[in-house]
Amino acid sequence: GIERLRASIRDRFTAVLGQTPAAAVLIALVIGEQRAIDPNQWWIFNRTGVTHLMSISGLHVTMVAALCAWFVTWCWRCWPRLTLCLPARKAGALAAVMGAWCYTLLAGFGVPAQRTFFMLASVAIAMWLSAVPAAPRVLLLAMAVVLLIDPWAVLAPGFWLSFTAVALIFYVTQGWFVHTAPNAHWIKRLQHSALQWAQTQWAITLGLAPASLLLFSQISLVAPFANAIAIPWVSVVVTPLALLAAIVPVDALLQLTAWLMQWLIEFLTWCAWWPWAMWQHAAPAGWAVCSAALGVVLLLAPRGVPGRWAGVLLLV
């Protein structure tokens, strides 16, 4: 039944939008099928470092789960009798897990979607048990469950890149809640959020550079700039609209989503043709990768850790 649903969505998207690059990307975002994406488009996505966005990534699953949690929590609080039976927070956590589960199944149960679902499920279970799980424990639990289901996932580069990216996010965001000022002016809060977003993007770009060189012998230099535009555009705007268009059979909504996606493709094409967009190099030796990884850990360490700038030498 799930496969028939995925096939019907693909056929409708193709019938309404035709064989266009935007249609191929929307199909990949909704049902995880990437066969329709042209090799030239993959070349553009690789050079700009946004390949992770053109499939069902953990960011997309998290966004769907957050929307489900917000909607159910808001509805739950509108009915006081429901809150007497079950707290709104727990109801929202259950909705987040169910939404992530449905999207993961619709996406073909790929490794990035699996990883995100199991992490969300771990946090939701801990919330139901009134416990606060540690971030490394959640990450390792999700990794263990993924490997129990699919032991061969360790042979996929996406497995290592996916979990490494999340580990880097946990590493650089520890202690951020201490610096949050909820009573500050909204402009200051916006500036604070933008700074945290830039720090996270910098950490992922720097942290995945050694692995990218080892696995693909290339690094996208334009990736930070391209991702700064593409990540919120795809995750906050395009993907929710594409999922809504898959549920609501309104052709105008699907055409609007395709137009928004086409605008992003044109922007990425412009970035991909920059002469210095990609740096290619021979795959480094194992000792060099270990040295670079240690350098990344030092450079991204919290302020006050001695010898942080020695990480530059280790990277070089």
Side-chain angles (χ1 to χ4, degrees), residues 12-299:
R12 177 173 170 264
F13 277 36
T14 304
V16 175
L17 303 177
Q19 301 290 340
T20 60
V25 173
L26 292 182
I27 291 174
L29 291 176
V30 174
I31 65 173
E33 184 177 315
Q34 303 175 348
R35 292 178 296 177
I37 299 180
D38 189 84
N40 295 328
Q41 294 298 319
W42 281 123
W43 179 83
I44 293 173
F45 299 153
N46 286 329
R47 281 185 65 86
T48 53
V50 299
T51 307
H52 62 100
L53 288 175
M54 304 308 160
S55 59
I56 308 296
S57 69
L59 189 61
H60 302 154
V61 178
T62 304
M63 181 60 64
V64 171
L67 289 174
C68 293
W70 169 81
F71 180 73
V72 171
T73 302
W74 179 79
C75 293
W76 211 264
R77 288 171 176 167
C78 292
W79 296 85
R81 291 184 179 180
L82 294 178
T83 58
L84 295 177
C85 299
L86 183 68
R89 187 181 179 187
K90 291 185 176 182
L94 181 61
V97 173
M98 294 303 298
W101 172 250
C102 293
Y103 191 26
T104 303
L105 289 179
L106 187 64
F109 216 64
V111 170
Q114 286 184 42
R115 179 256 301 163
T116 307
F117 170 73
F118 292 131
M119 290 178 64
L120 289 172
S122 302
V123 174
I125 292 173
M127 185 181 297
W128 270 70
L129 298 177
S130 300
V132 180
R137 183 172 298 178
V138 173
L139 184 65
L140 291 175
L141 179 60
M143 181 182 292
V145 176
V146 169
L147 291 179
L148 284 174
I149 295 176
D150 183 14
W152 295 104
V154 294
L155 300 180
F159 173 84
W160 298 103
L161 294 176
S162 176
F163 279 97
T164 301
V166 178
L168 287 168
I169 293 174
F170 285 159
Y171 182 59
V172 300
T173 58
Q174 56 182 340
W176 272 8
F177 66 92
V178 177
H179 304 288
T180 303
N183 297 326
H185 194 269
W186 67 270
I187 296 181
K188 292 185 177 180
R189 293 200 302 268
L190 182 61
Q191 292 174 347
H192 185 70
S193 300
L195 179 60
Q196 291 181 340
W197 170 260
Q199 290 176 344
T200 304
Q201 187 61 44
W202 158 250
I204 294 176
T205 302
L206 179 67
L208 293 184
S212 299
L213 272 182
L214 179 64
L215 297 173
F216 309 116
S217 300
Q218 60 185 17
I219 297 177
S220 175
L221 300 180
V222 78
F225 174 66
N227 277 279
I229 303 297
I231 288 178
W233 192 257
V234 173
S235 300
V236 180
V237 179
V238 174
T239 300
L241 285 178
L243 289 172
L244 184 61
I247 299 173
V248 180
V250 178
D251 293 348
L253 179 60
L254 184 56
Q255 292 169 353
L256 171 63
T257 309
W259 179 80
L260 294 173
M261 189 67 231
Q262 184 61 38
W263 178 89
L264 180 63
I265 291 176
E266 293 176 0
F267 166 75
L268 295 175
T269 303
W270 173 68
C271 294
W273 283 105
W274 291 1
W276 46 271
M278 179 72 72
W279 179 53
Q280 294 181 332
H281 194 277
W287 64 268
V289 175
C290 294
S291 172
L294 181 58
V296 168
V297 172
L298 281 176
L299 282 176

